[in-house]
Amino acid sequence: MLGAIEAGGTKFVCAVGDELGNIAESIQIPTTVPEETMAEVIRFFKKYDLEAIGIGSFGPIDVNKESPTYGNITSTPKTAWKDYPLVQVMKDAFSLPVGFNTDVNAAALAEATLGAAKGLDSCLYITIGTGIGAGAMVQGKLLEGLSHPEMGHILVRRHPNDTYAGKCPYHHDCLEGLAAGPGIEERWGEKGNNLVDRKEVWDLEGYYLAQALMQYILILSPKKIILGGGVMNQKQVFTYIYNYLPELINNYVSLPELSDYIVSPGLGNYAGINGSLLLAYQALQSENQ
Ligand code: ADP
Ligand code: ZN
């Protein structure tokens, strides 16, 4: 049996199951301070005889295996979790192989293995929620370099009528600052789910996301793009993206039918936790090699 943690800024989802998407039990634990949250996490997993644990985490995190701080959450605004050695704490508690990656890389892995990109060796998973982040599967592997990508913070061309300053504490009007949930709420004065009938809100959202997708497509050439996260519950955003993207790309590269190419997660809200199970499976495989 495998253990999985989807570590988020508001909650930790813990599950036990297998690499095929079967989940035997799962719980949600609020993200408070590490001592409290992790005590509950450890208590949950102690009930099981596990072979490996996988963690898909909010970040930034240190995923460089050569680094002395590998397995840590690094520069999060959640100060109690800054520099927290998540992997080491789990290794100390369980003495098992631990797989570790970003929440969005985990989701990309799950979508490529079991979900909307099943059978493909390439996909991009983007979440548009409290923040914007993306994970990429490239030639069958999760994309990592110096560290993990931070595709939510790219710069986009501002809409001429948009005077909103942007919400990103680091860059103000990067993509995340302009188009994640908190930015939408601050610009329009209402939470996204209360803005359903305001067409201009979702038109502008599509305008920014289409620009981001154009850049991801030009750089990574993904075979499938999956858009998840709370904001993408507004399905009309897909329609705006399908309209803006061809205008931007202007036939420079040819793309598949957009409604088949840019899609919702095949695994719904389970992409992250299934991905973490798969990270556990990968950790177990590499231990056994
Ligand atoms: P997180 O990013 O924290 O994991 P979510 O993906 O649920 O969580 O994203 C939360 C953000 O998405 C909030 O800013 C919220 O306002 C926004 N959101 C959630 N549901 C909707 C909805 N139905 N329509 C528009 N925005 C939504
Ligand atoms: Zn930013």
Side-chain angles (χ1 to χ4, degrees):
M1 183 166 265
L2 303 169
I5 305 173
E6 186 185 4
T10 47
K11 62 178 190 292
F12 275 43
V13 180
C14 298
V16 290
D18 66 20
E19 74 282 10
L20 306 172
N22 302 305
I23 292 175
E25 194 190 348
S26 73
I27 57 161
Q28 296 193 358
I29 298 165
T31 310
T32 57
V33 291
E35 299 71 42
E36 237 171 60
T37 304
M38 294 310 291
E40 292 237 12
V41 168
I42 290 166
R43 195 173 316 135
F44 172 73
F45 288 120
K46 285 284 182 192
K47 296 188 292 181
Y48 298 94
D49 185 17
L50 299 178
E51 295 167 281
I53 295 169
I55 307 173
S57 177
F58 71 105
I61 59 178
D62 188 345
V63 293
N64 175 2
K65 289 206 167 102
E66 310 301 317
S67 157
T69 53
Y70 169 76
N72 291 9
I73 293 171
T74 57
S75 53
T76 170
K78 295 185 89 63
T79 48
W81 293 86
K82 192 168 168 349
D83 300 323
Y84 186 74
L86 192 48
V87 169
Q88 196 56 50
V89 166
M90 293 305 287
K91 276 191 178 287
D92 290 348
F94 294 95
S95 304
L96 290 171
V98 176
F100 185 57
N101 218 311
T102 59
D103 45 5
V104 281
N105 259 346
L109 175 62
E111 287 292 325
T113 312
L114 305 162
K118 188 172 173 178
L120 300 179
D121 62 354
S122 151
C123 77
L124 182 66
Y125 178 94
I126 309 167
T127 181
I128 302 111
T130 306
I132 298 182
M137 162 85 68
V138 178
Q139 293 177 318
K141 291 180 96 172
L142 294 175
L143 185 62
E144 287 174 21
L146 275 178
S147 180
H148 53 81
E150 281 286 356
M151 295 188 233
H153 294 265
I154 62 170
L155 302 178
V156 287
R157 199 185 282 164
R158 208 170 240 289
H159 192 284
N161 299 336
D162 184 17
T163 55
Y164 173 56
K167 188 86 179 151
C168 176
Y170 293 89
H171 322 109
H172 309 294
D173 61 354
C174 67
L175 177 70
E176 177 173 300
L178 292 173
I184 295 174
E185 185 178 339
E186 190 169 76
R187 180 194 288 105
W188 303 100
E190 286 270 11
K191 279 203 175 306
N193 50 2
N194 296 327
L195 294 164
V196 182
D197 299 326
R198 298 271 301 274
K199 272 171 69 174
E200 67 276 24
V201 173
W202 310 113
D203 186 328
L204 187 66
E205 187 68 12
Y207 176 85
Y208 288 129
L209 291 177
Q211 289 188 54
L213 294 189
M214 170 167 172
Q215 295 170 64
Y216 304 148
I217 289 166
L218 295 176
I219 294 169
L220 296 169
S221 197
K223 291 182 183 169
K224 189 77 93 175
I225 297 177
I226 298 143
L227 302 182
V231 172
M232 292 312 295
N233 287 316
Q234 299 295 330
K235 298 290 178 210
Q236 67 265 42
V237 176
F238 281 95
T239 312
Y240 289 109
I241 292 171
Y242 298 155
N243 287 332
Y244 281 118
L245 187 59
E247 276 178 35
L248 289 169
I249 293 198
N250 199 19
N251 290 322
Y252 184 65
V253 287
S254 63
L255 296 176
E257 177 63 37
L258 291 186
S259 59
D260 190 45
Y261 182 51
I262 302 168
V263 300
S264 293
L267 299 169
N269 294 327
Y270 291 90
I273 197 69
N274 274 304
S276 300
L277 283 168
L278 288 160
L279 291 175
Y281 185 67
Q282 286 186 344
L284 184 63
Q285 301 293 99
S286 57
E287 196 87 347
N288 291 341
Q289 263 170 18

